[in-house]
Amino acid sequence: MRAGGVWQRLTEGVPARALAALAVLAALLLAAPVLSQLLPAGDYWLSILILMVYFAYIGQAWNIMMGFAGQLSLGHALYLGLGGYIAAALYANLGVGPWLGVFAAVCIAMLAGGLIGYLGFRFSVAGVYFALLTIAFAEFTRILFDHFKWVGASGGLFLKVEPEGSPFNLQGSPVLFYYVILVLAALAFVFCRWLLTGRLGYYWLAIREDPEAAQAAGINVFRYKMLAVLISSGLTALGGVWSAFYYKNLFPESAFSMGRSIEVTLAPIIGGLGTLVGPILGSALLVGLGDLFTTMAERLAEYGIKAGGLKQIGYGVALLLIVMFRREGVWPWLAHWLGFDRHRENQP
Amino acid sequence: MSGAHLAVRNIGKSFRGLRAVNDVAFDVPAGAIHALIGPNGAGKTTCFNMIAGVYPPDGGTILLDEHSIAGLRPDQICAAGVGRTFQIVRPFMGLTVEENVTIGALAHCRHVPEARALARELLEELGLGDRRTARAASLTLPDRKRLEVARALATRPRLLLLDEVMAGLRPTETDQMVAFLKELNARTGVTILLIEHVMRAVMALSQHIVVLHHGEKIAEGRPEDVTRDPAVLDVYLGQEVH
């Protein structure tokens, strides 16, 4: 397919105003490291932005499984953790650079995803039971890594800070990490749009809506669910590699934790399951709110008021409000309000 | 596109000891329109589900143009040329009408634009052209039934299984559907097997009727003969059927 065809496929049915808004957003994000330096505490704002883009990226990867294909995974920490651990251990223990290690990391995460998918889909473990299976695998792996000496077991795995390190080893300033995750998020966004507008996307939506009717319409449900898990786990592992090199430390207790898995799901749920903008918007809202609550707690502490759990409570309340009033997430509502969904009537 | 010959040979199915279908055999010749009738619980839908591959028959064979399809998965049977609708309609509710039919068309179209064009064509034919951007969930029941027919047809079946597509339709809508199916059959030669309670439609459409009762075939033949068959009249609440 020629470039023109690809562009047409990606943009068909998207209003010009939405494309323009996307272009402005892209330009702002590209210029953000420069712009942030104009602000007081610019490095801080950049670190917040990095988190937003990171959660948007892994949210996008998780959304492929849940939002597109309708398969609930509550164990995505497994792929993040595996990806991070493998690339970091290869680098720290064997000196294999991350640009090479990432292939091993992604392959192994996809193998794990493939195994879980095979067990779940082959034996018709569906819905919440499938979710339990994903949790179980993340938990097994956590315990396994707790005793895995080569990667530091429960003591953790650390990457040295290399001030003179080369970007080719994913060493450098936050600006480098910002651009790497931004490129990943942008590629994931375009890739997901590409998938959704093709056969695969249509089949996933059919499976999400009604697997039995999908099968009657000629869809090999097992095969397309497997593809969803494989793509989702592979993309998530990429995020895991980035995160391992950004934070430079990994502990089984946190890397494979339930909390980490839940974290992955929040942005797309809040932004809008199954939408492309949902994970981005949800992540901006969540990280933004989280930062707001943290700042508020700090201010309150100055007056001697202890409000340590404010962020968690704030998250809880925000989630509650979304679940109660914006069931389908913020983006479908916002898109309707902005008039970006005119090609489709009856959109709530 | 032409019709396929369906041969059902002595199939049976039990659910936890309950014999839902017992030793049923019938033929639907290529290009014919046959009906499967019988009181509720007679095993009609179970027969459909075995033909469509939802579950395998306990015994017997199902041949589509001499190839056995018994025990294949529903998607394989769809690929072999069988399209179906569901008694309790199951369109993809969250998707648009056009997306629903496009998914069916992707069974044989290589690219999405091609599938979409075919979907639009079918929707026009079934009178759903102006609803194509609506979500399936917003359709009325008759429109949902039409949508199911469109989605099944989009897979380019050689045998079309219609499970009570007239139920809930008004008489004029029933007549429209009958006219559409007749025209479709005449134009493409697709074989049609329908389960139907609306006798008005059965009489107008089918050349041959198979009657099931308690999982067994009790009669078959031309519509005018079957509706006079004493055994059939007996199971149909003791009333005469028109």
Side-chain angles (χ1 to χ4, degrees):
Chain A
M1 208 183 278
R2 281 164 305 159
V6 173
W7 177 252
Q8 200 200 344
R9 170 168 162 183
L10 291 174
T11 57
E12 200 186 348
V14 182
R17 285 189 301 146
L19 282 179
L22 203 59
V24 171
L25 178 69
L28 280 175
L29 285 171
L30 274 174
V34 181
L35 296 177
S36 71
Q37 294 313 312
L38 303 176
L39 296 168
D43 288 345
Y44 173 73
W45 291 114
L46 185 65
S47 74
I48 297 286
L49 194 59
I50 287 176
L51 271 186
M52 285 184 182
V53 180
Y54 169 66
F55 280 112
Y57 171 74
I58 56 176
Q60 197 77 261
W62 178 81
N63 199 31
I64 291 175
M65 257 184 90
M66 180 61 197
F68 299 171
Q71 305 305 309
L72 176 58
S73 166
L74 290 178
H76 257 51
L78 173 63
Y79 314 126
L80 278 177
L82 277 179
Y85 257 109
I86 289 158
L90 283 175
Y91 185 60
N93 296 344
L94 302 176
V96 178
W99 297 106
L100 205 58
V102 71
F103 288 100
V106 167
C107 285
I108 289 171
M110 284 171 84
L111 270 178
L115 177 67
I116 295 171
Y118 181 81
L119 289 175
F121 308 145
R122 178 68 187 75
F123 299 103
S124 304
V125 181
V128 284
Y129 299 102
F130 178 72
L132 284 178
L133 189 71
T134 62
I135 295 173
F137 269 86
E139 286 293 299
F140 295 155
T141 315
R142 179 177 63 81
I143 294 163
L144 188 77
F145 273 66
D146 252 339
H147 302 277
F148 192 1
K149 287 280 184 311
W150 191 62
V151 298
S154 55
L157 179 66
F158 301 89
L159 290 174
K160 280 201 264 328
V161 179
E162 301 171 23
E164 307 295 304
S166 146
F168 288 104
N169 286 335
L170 210 53
Q171 297 288 341
S173 67
V175 175
L176 168 76
F177 284 96
Y178 172 74
Y179 279 116
V180 171
I181 196 68
L182 184 64
V183 167
L184 278 178
L187 286 178
F189 180 79
V190 174
F191 181 55
C192 285
R193 171 78 190 165
W194 166 260
L195 292 176
L196 264 191
T197 51
R199 172 189 299 272
L200 202 52
Y202 277 86
Y203 279 5
W204 280 340
L205 297 182
I207 292 167
R208 180 189 78 189
E209 293 292 318
D210 187 335
E212 204 180 310
Q215 210 170 15
I219 300 171
N220 184 338
V221 170
F222 175 78
R223 178 193 297 165
Y224 290 99
K225 279 188 192 172
M226 283 300 282
L227 276 173
V229 182
L230 290 173
I231 295 173
S232 180
S233 55
L235 289 177
T236 307
L238 275 178
V241 175
W242 177 90
S243 141
F245 280 78
Y246 181 58
Y247 290 107
K248 296 193 165 50
N249 62 69
L250 285 155
F251 298 93
E253 288 306 323
S254 57
F256 297 104
S257 72
M258 191 68 212
R260 184 63 47 88
S261 289
I262 299 286
E263 231 170 39
V264 177
T265 70
L266 291 181
I269 291 175
I270 286 184
L273 271 181
T275 66
L276 291 169
V277 182
I280 301 170
L281 183 65
S283 161
L285 282 173
L286 269 180
V287 176
L289 279 177
D291 181 60
L292 182 73
F293 291 130
T294 310
T295 315
M296 270 167 65
E298 280 165 7
R299 287 283 146 78
L300 288 173
E302 284 170 18
Y303 299 103
I305 304 167
K306 284 184 182 161
L310 193 64
K311 182 177 163 186
Q312 282 69 19
I313 293 173
Y315 264 15
V317 171
L319 265 175
L320 207 66
L321 290 175
I322 297 287
V323 170
M324 283 169 69
F325 299 110
R326 290 283 166 264
R327 258 270 161 79
E328 305 210 354
V330 178
W331 174 246
W333 166 76
L334 188 65
H336 186 69
W337 189 71
L338 291 170
F340 285 176
D341 63 345
R342 287 290 149 76
H343 65 294
R344 212 184 228 218
E345 55 173 292
N346 304 312
Q347 190 95 354
Chain B
M1 190 165 52
S2 60
H5 171 211
L6 173 73
V8 175
R9 300 271 179 266
N10 309 96
I11 57 169
K13 184 79 194 170
S14 295
F15 297 107
R16 296 185 183 170
L18 175 76
R19 198 81 185 137
V21 172
N22 192 20
D23 208 25
V24 167
F26 58 84
D27 270 273
V28 187
I33 304 182
H34 283 198
L36 200 55
I37 67 167
N40 286 330
K44 305 178 299 282
T45 297
T46 305
C47 273
F48 256 38
N49 282 339
M50 283 189 277
I51 299 168
V54 176
Y55 27 73
D58 294 339
T61 55
I62 301 168
L63 303 170
L64 191 73
D65 277 346
E66 313 310 320
H67 298 288
S68 174
I69 55 167
L72 295 181
R73 289 193 315 265
D75 56 292
Q76 293 170 319
I77 289 178
C78 176
V82 179
R84 73 157 312 172
T85 68
F86 291 90
Q87 184 183 358
I88 297 161
V89 287
R90 319 177 70 151
F92 305 122
M93 292 293 186
L95 308 185
T96 67
V97 168
E98 184 180 291
E99 284 166 339
N100 264 273
V101 184
T102 302
I103 286 163
L106 281 169
H108 54 84
C109 294
R110 275 181 63 90
H111 299 295
V112 170
E114 186 190 341
R116 229 157 47 189
L118 183 75
R120 283 181 194 190
E121 230 170 80
L122 275 167
L123 287 169
E124 284 301 332
E125 284 178 26
L126 277 154
L128 282 171
D130 53 339
R131 304 291 289 145
R132 64 183 179 81
T133 57
R135 278 200 189 199
S138 72
L139 295 185
T140 58
L141 182 68
D143 280 348
R144 287 182 192 182
K145 298 223 162 190
R146 274 194 273 249
L147 175 58
E148 284 236 337
V149 175
R151 186 177 66 195
L153 279 177
T155 66
R156 289 239 172 101
R158 293 181 300 133
L159 167 67
L160 187 58
L161 303 174
L162 301 174
D163 199 344
E164 295 204 26
V165 285
M166 318 282 179
L169 265 59
R170 285 193 292 265
T172 49
E173 292 166 337
T174 304
D175 292 345
Q176 279 172 11
M177 184 63 96
V178 166
F180 171 76
L181 291 174
K182 265 189 164 160
E183 189 272 331
L184 176 82
N185 172 260
R187 177 163 46 90
T188 65
V190 62
T191 311
I192 298 176
L193 177 61
L194 48 120
I195 293 178
E196 204 48 82
H197 278 306
V198 181
M199 287 312 283
R200 174 195 176 90
V202 173
M203 300 307 278
L205 263 177
S206 53
Q207 301 129 0
H208 191 93
I209 296 178
V210 174
V211 188
L212 294 185
H213 183 52
H214 290 322
E216 302 196 2
K217 184 171 82 178
I218 58 165
E220 74 171 309
R222 293 187 305 149
E224 50 275 29
D225 298 337
V226 164
T227 48
R228 290 202 188 89
D229 189 309
V232 175
L233 293 177
D234 199 38
V235 304
Y236 262 96
L237 310 164
Q239 294 169 353
E240 200 165 334
V241 183
H242 284 291

